[in-house]
Amino acid sequence: PPLSDRSQRLLDRYQAQRALVRSHGITVGRARLAFRADECTRCGLCMTGCPHDLIYSSSHTFDRLRSEGRITYRPNLLAIRLEETDASPSVFVRNSSTGQIEHLTADRIFVACGGIGTTRLVLGSLDALDQSVYLQESVQFVMPTVSMRPATDPRLARNFTLNQFNLLYDFTGEGIDLCQVHFYDYNPAFLASLPGALRSSNAAPALAALLRRISVGLGYIPGWASPRVKVVARRALGGADQLPALEVDRETSGGWPPMLRALVRAMLKVAPALDCWPVVPMVSVSGAAKSYHFGGSFPHSEARTDTTTDRLGRLAQWDHIYLVDASVFPTVPATTFTLTIMANAHRIASGSLGMTT
């Protein structure tokens, strides 16, 4: 769908000043999004749930596989423990409707519960309690920006509210150490985050002037330049048929990562060209595991051990249980990597075919 007035103006300025902006390691471009843009009604509800279900979700793929009869879908089952005995893998699950425990066996089990979910399930299954496991995280930060030249009041326009443009910062100039910032122009959550004084009727002109100038960036620093996330599994109070309780915290907290400081400095240098000024005092680093860009608790390695997996996502304890999500990634980039996760899962599943060990 068409971009908002402010986003289009910024991209036009970037095209006019492209050489200057890129000389500081910054590239800007329209966001490429996985949704059916041609059917968008621009109702502004993207961030709270598209009423037309136009934004891609894995449920779309599963619905298609189910309708084609290619999978058997078992709803309302919570995996609570994995086991493998005599080359026979199995999973204990709780039926959330009845509360009953069921025991399912298979030739192979592929675990794709997400970085945190898989870590929790595996630690509980191996009785690896009260010991620290570390995840890599592409740490998230929030960066409000202002423009000196006002655009149309976003409350009067019909726009989609997913991120409209992205900014990429190349820290070293070698295309490896990349920071990525997704910029959002407006959604009603902006109002709830503003001081109460700005939401009063007397402040209506000031509020309008502010909304015509602000954008908010959600940015990411690569995992190798971010603090790791420490995860500890604790024995659940409910007994053996419960997933362990999980404690999640950042390994260290020392303020801004150095790469974030470099990004802010670079953005201040190009701000006059883009008319996009970071509000430095309001830049904040999000809490541990808030970014959803994390993994690496059981990374691929040359040799599988209790904490590392082989190229097929197998820990030393299992031969027919495969971890296939980001928990096996050795590194976590700042750029969006969902398709990379899907590709790696497909590679593992394909590689497991015909294997006996």
Side-chain angles (χ1 to χ4, degrees), residues 331-352:
T331 58
V332 177
T335 50
T336 305
F337 65 119
T338 301
L339 291 178
T340 310
I341 298 172
M342 295 168 70
N344 193 49
H346 188 275
R347 180 192 62 78
I348 291 174
S350 299
S352 74

Side-chain angles (χ1 to χ4, degrees), residues 16 83 89 135 149 245 249 255 260 308-309 320 342:
E83 286 187 356
L135 280 75
R149 301 189 265 300
D249 198 6
L260 175 55
T308 60
T309 56
H320 298 88
M342 295 168 70

Side-chain angles (χ1 to χ4, degrees), residues 297-311:
S297 47
F298 305 106
H300 289 316
S301 181
E302 291 296 325
R304 50 179 170 156
T305 67
D306 292 347
T307 56
T308 60
T309 56
D310 64 6
R311 295 186 69 252

Side-chain angles (χ1 to χ4, degrees), residues 22 32 69 106 123 141 144 150 165 177 207 228 287 302 331 342:
R22 295 195 66 162
R32 292 177 289 180
L123 292 178
F141 59 90
F165 66 92
D177 296 304
L207 176 62
R228 294 188 303 174
E302 291 296 325
T331 58
M342 295 168 70

